Amino acid sequence: RVVNRFSKDVSSLDEQLSDVTYNFVDGLFMIISTIIFIAYMQPLSLISMAVVGIVLERVRRVYTPAVQDVKRLESLARSPIYSHLSASIQGVPLIRSYEAQQTCIQEFSYCLNEHCRVYSIMLAMNRWSGMRVECVVAGFVGFLAFSCLLTYQSNIFSFLIH
């Protein structure tokens, strides 16, 4: 378990840190520029942005503790895969001499199935969170489009009257 934990942490740092940092900075600047643009074009929409922020924070508070537990279970389900694979590689001569290939395959399949079961739950939780965020953002975009339409429509009518 310790080796599994260290290998996962080190590989996450090596492979994902630069990409995550780049995506974070890129997303942060994109969000800030979008907020500034929307505030300039439609200042009343800042109120709805605050509501969207509150709703998304609630979704995050529900999602984060649950996904942490599932990630822990996924890590625990991954450990038997590594230990079985390591033991199988070291014991290849014994497995062949006792003709226990099918038993090893069945045990490894069981370990993979247990890991896939937990991993699919984690993927479903990610989709749950993504669906909630997309619905809230779609509602905000709809409200923003409707408010822009009303604002500019009233400006057009006042221009035509004068």
Side-chain angles (χ1 to χ4, degrees), residues 4-147:
N4 176 26
R5 184 68 187 163
F6 277 131
S7 67
K8 180 69 174 172
D9 289 345
V10 170
S11 71
S12 294
L13 283 174
D14 288 343
E15 296 170 3
Q16 299 173 355
L17 185 61
S18 62
D19 290 338
V20 168
T21 303
Y22 174 77
N23 289 336
F24 173 76
V25 171
D26 185 45
L28 182 67
F29 284 132
M30 188 173 290
I31 289 170
I32 289 171
S33 63
T34 303
I35 289 172
I36 290 171
F37 178 73
I38 290 173
Y40 177 73
M41 295 301 287
Q42 193 73 349
L44 288 176
S45 64
L46 291 176
I47 296 169
S48 61
M49 268 194 225
V51 171
V52 166
I54 291 169
V55 171
L56 291 178
E57 177 60 23
R58 282 191 55 121
V59 169
R60 188 197 64 80
R61 284 188 186 187
V62 168
Y63 172 74
T64 302
V67 82
Q68 285 175 347
D69 290 340
V70 173
K71 280 185 178 181
R72 182 183 52 79
L73 289 174
E74 189 265 337
S75 178
L76 289 174
R78 192 177 342 108
S79 293
I81 294 173
Y82 289 143
S83 64
H84 188 277
L85 192 61
S86 174
S88 296
I89 289 172
Q90 290 175 357
V92 167
L94 287 174
I95 293 170
R96 285 185 180 163
S97 66
Y98 287 108
E99 297 179 355
Q101 292 95 336
Q102 281 304 110
T103 305
C104 287
I105 290 171
Q106 288 172 350
E107 289 175 4
F108 190 69
S109 294
Y110 176 78
C111 293
L112 280 178
N113 286 338
E114 290 299 311
H115 178 261
C116 287
R117 180 181 306 164
V118 176
Y119 192 72
S120 66
I121 291 171
M122 191 170 70
L123 290 177
M125 290 179 73
N126 286 338
R127 276 310 326 142
W128 178 89
S129 172
M131 191 72 157
R132 298 309 185 267
V133 169
E134 289 173 11
C135 287
V136 170
V137 170
F140 172 69
V141 168
F143 173 77
L144 187 62
F146 185 70
S147 65

